[in-house]
Amino acid sequence: MKDTADFAKHVHFQPSIGEDEINAVREVLKEGRLTLISSEKISEFETRFAKYIGVKHAIAVNSGTAALHVALASLEIGAGDEVIVPPFTFVATATAVLHQNAIPIFVDIDPETYCIDPNAIEKAITPNTKAIIPVHLFGHPADMESILKIGRENNIPIIEDACQAHGAKYKNKKVGSIGDLGCFSFFESKNMMTGEGGIITTNDDELAEKCRLIRHHGEPYWYQYVRLGYNYRMTAIQAAIGLIQLKKLDNMNKRRIENAKYYNENFSGLPGLELPKSRKDVKHVYHLYAPLIRPEELGINREKFLGKINEKEVITKLIYPRPLYKSPLFQDLMGYGPKKCPFTCPYYKKKVSYKIHLPIVEDICNRVIGLPTIPSLSTEQLDQIVSTIKNAIGELKK
Ligand SMILES: *Cc1c(COP(=O)(O)O)cnc(C)c1O
């Protein structure tokens, strides 16, 4: 990762950290019990998070990526299997599938919500399909009713990637409680955070037990190893931060929603800009505010537009500039070393190729921009961002 300093310039994407998080960390350090093995903090956080989401079980891990990997492993997905994923998401949605030696199958997205398109899922199902991972992108829930229906009809489990959607609701149910398993990230930029961290949610007792085993070396009792596992444990320091952040989550989301509303009001009617949409039956928690530009109307491409508005201060983020399948990882089938596993896995009878063209995601990737919604944004900062964008568009339309 060579552009860490660049990311640090994104002041508008910083987490909200108060005295209570600092005090909680201080207390854990004073106690000197820092791990799942020695501290009750992690299970306390799991109990609270499960209750918040409205599920029986939550299993804390050390990243959202680990959560996805553990969820796939708990479903016994592996060599020869296909998992349907969207191409417009963070890379981990797809690489977690590779970590389990299975093949990610990318399908197109819905142009309004940017989430995976249920019709596209239906067309991609084969006898090898062993899971579907809808992503609740930027905080907007995927079309879970249609996706669950496809899952049930074909006996395929659903893993919700809710890494950007803590507290979002689909028809009054919190995301992460709808599919067979839900996965959350607590990376520092997410709606709630623990620095790094993640959690898996489920109502299924058996899957929950498997997730607990896989997170901790497949070790149910000291020195008994009953299946392949990992060290994906969350620390007590992270859990202590998570307990505080969880209490603040609804208020932090409320601020994000208000900030998105502010953008909507101020950008409405602006030429060359398409405002993000939200379905009526969902609670969108605006991890990001992601409008589209119309390059032909503005006479400028997205990269140049971003350059223009970030001239004085970095206010926008380039997000997902190309569909995941266009990355060298997929184009050149770069798997586990020169043998290119799992893409060349003999258990997988078909030839893998990502030389595909999905028109909607390719269009959206060329036009989307990400504006910050973080709870700490002041009205002055919001006004600054709004006027920067309005001025840029004003100049271009002259
Ligand atoms: C952040 C994120 C992940 C991965 O979470 P990490 O905690 O960074 O490993 C996975 N999927 C999506 C959609 C994300 O936004």
Side-chain angles (χ1 to χ4, degrees):
M1 187 70 187
K2 296 207 182 88
D3 28 22
T4 303
D6 274 355
F7 187 78
K9 270 190 255 160
H10 289 94
V11 288
H12 295 319
F13 296 93
Q14 270 180 336
S16 304
I17 300 168
E19 282 305 311
D20 22 6
E21 280 89 349
I22 294 168
N23 288 331
V25 170
R26 197 192 306 272
E27 267 174 44
V28 171
L29 290 176
K30 271 195 190 153
E31 270 173 36
R33 296 283 176 215
L34 306 185
T35 71
L36 182 77
I37 318 299
S38 57
S39 168
E40 298 288 319
K41 271 277 180 258
I42 296 103
S43 64
E44 187 187 337
F45 178 51
E46 289 173 337
T47 305
R48 295 269 186 87
F49 196 82
K51 184 153 182 255
Y52 176 81
I53 297 297
V55 289
K56 270 170 87 179
H57 308 279
I59 303 93
V61 289
N62 52 22
S63 73
T65 309
L68 287 160
H69 184 192
V70 170
L72 286 157
S74 77
L75 292 168
E76 312 296 351
I77 281 157
D81 296 340
E82 293 174 348
V83 177
I84 297 176
V85 297
F88 192 52
T89 174
F90 183 62
V91 69
T93 312
T95 47
V97 176
L98 298 177
H99 295 156
Q100 223 21 53
N101 289 305
I103 307 294
I105 302 293
F106 295 106
V107 306
D108 217 343
I109 57 171
D110 177 311
E112 307 237 306
T113 65
Y114 311 144
C115 295
I116 196 164
D117 174 3
N119 295 315
I121 295 177
E122 212 155 14
K123 290 192 192 114
I125 285 177
T126 75
N128 297 321
T129 311
K130 293 293 150 62
I132 302 165
I133 313 184
V135 180
H136 306 305
L137 200 74
F138 306 145
H140 190 297
D143 181 357
M144 288 310 291
E145 204 166 272
S146 309
I147 296 168
L148 279 189
K149 187 164 167 277
I150 296 168
R152 274 196 222 102
E153 282 170 5
N154 296 279
N155 200 19
I156 298 170
I158 312 292
I159 300 171
E160 292 175 71
D161 181 338
C163 288
Q164 302 182 1
H166 322 61
K169 284 183 190 165
Y170 177 87
K171 299 193 175 176
N172 280 324
K173 279 186 101 174
K174 292 228 173 81
V175 301
S177 71
I178 305 166
D180 297 85
L181 297 133
C183 297
F184 294 84
S185 162
F186 303 125
F187 178 70
E188 69 175 9
S189 69
K190 310 290 173 154
N191 292 47
M192 66 171 277
M193 67 96 222
T194 63
E196 300 272 9
I199 206 162
I200 306 141
T201 50
T202 184
N203 280 313
D204 188 307
D205 299 343
E206 205 181 311
L207 288 177
E209 203 41 50
K210 282 189 187 180
C211 288
R212 287 182 202 289
L213 271 178
I214 295 161
R215 146 183 84 173
H216 175 64
H217 301 295
E219 184 187 19
Y221 307 102
W222 289 107
Y223 304 117
Q224 283 196 39
Y225 309 105
V226 299
R227 65 173 291 153
L228 177 61
Y230 304 84
N231 176 358
Y232 281 161
R233 298 183 307 260
M234 175 181 269
T235 67
I237 303 166
Q238 292 165 304
I241 301 171
L243 280 162
I244 307 287
Q245 288 266 306
L246 183 58
K247 276 192 220 157
K248 299 180 174 175
L249 176 60
D250 283 340
N251 272 328
M252 292 196 292
N253 278 339
K254 191 162 160 264
R255 292 282 303 135
R256 285 183 186 269
I257 293 163
E258 284 164 4
N259 294 342
K261 190 162 166 249
Y262 196 84
Y263 287 136
N264 272 338
E265 284 164 5
N266 282 280
F267 292 148
S268 112
L270 212 58
L273 200 67
E274 289 172 35
L275 307 189
K277 298 177 184 70
S278 175
R279 275 177 57 146
K280 292 234 155 38
D281 50 3
V282 306
K283 180 181 179 186
H284 185 343
V285 292
Y286 290 96
H287 173 61
L288 264 181
Y289 181 83
L292 304 176
I293 64 159
R294 291 203 189 103
E296 71 290 356
E297 222 171 286
L298 296 173
I300 188 173
N301 73 16
R302 196 255 318 269
E303 278 58 37
K304 292 223 176 81
F305 184 75
L306 285 183
K308 197 169 169 62
I309 54 184
N310 284 335
E311 247 164 37
K312 279 202 216 100
E313 192 186 6
V314 179
I315 58 167
T316 61
K317 248 191 343 186
L318 177 63
I319 35 168
Y320 312 144
R322 62 196 74 84
L324 286 179
Y325 56 80
K326 293 220 171 173
S327 324
L329 166 66
F330 294 105
Q331 287 297 301
D332 305 335
L333 305 178
M334 306 295 285
Y336 292 102
K339 293 202 179 74
K340 297 186 184 289
C341 300
F343 298 114
T344 52
C345 177
Y347 284 103
Y348 190 66
K349 306 293 181 210
K350 287 180 267 181
K351 191 171 150 42
V352 180
S353 167
Y354 291 99
K355 311 271 185 214
I356 53 175
H357 171 62
L358 303 177
I360 294 167
V361 69
E362 290 183 18
D363 173 54
I364 302 278
C365 281
N366 282 327
R367 303 200 291 125
V368 68
I369 63 173
L371 295 182
T373 56
I374 58 167
S376 61
L377 280 179
S378 63
T379 312
E380 290 73 40
Q381 285 173 311
L382 282 167
D383 283 339
Q384 170 82 35
I385 295 168
V386 166
S387 63
T388 304
I389 292 194
K390 278 188 165 170
N391 291 342
I393 291 180
E395 271 178 46
L396 289 166
K397 294 296 288 179
K398 255 203 307 237

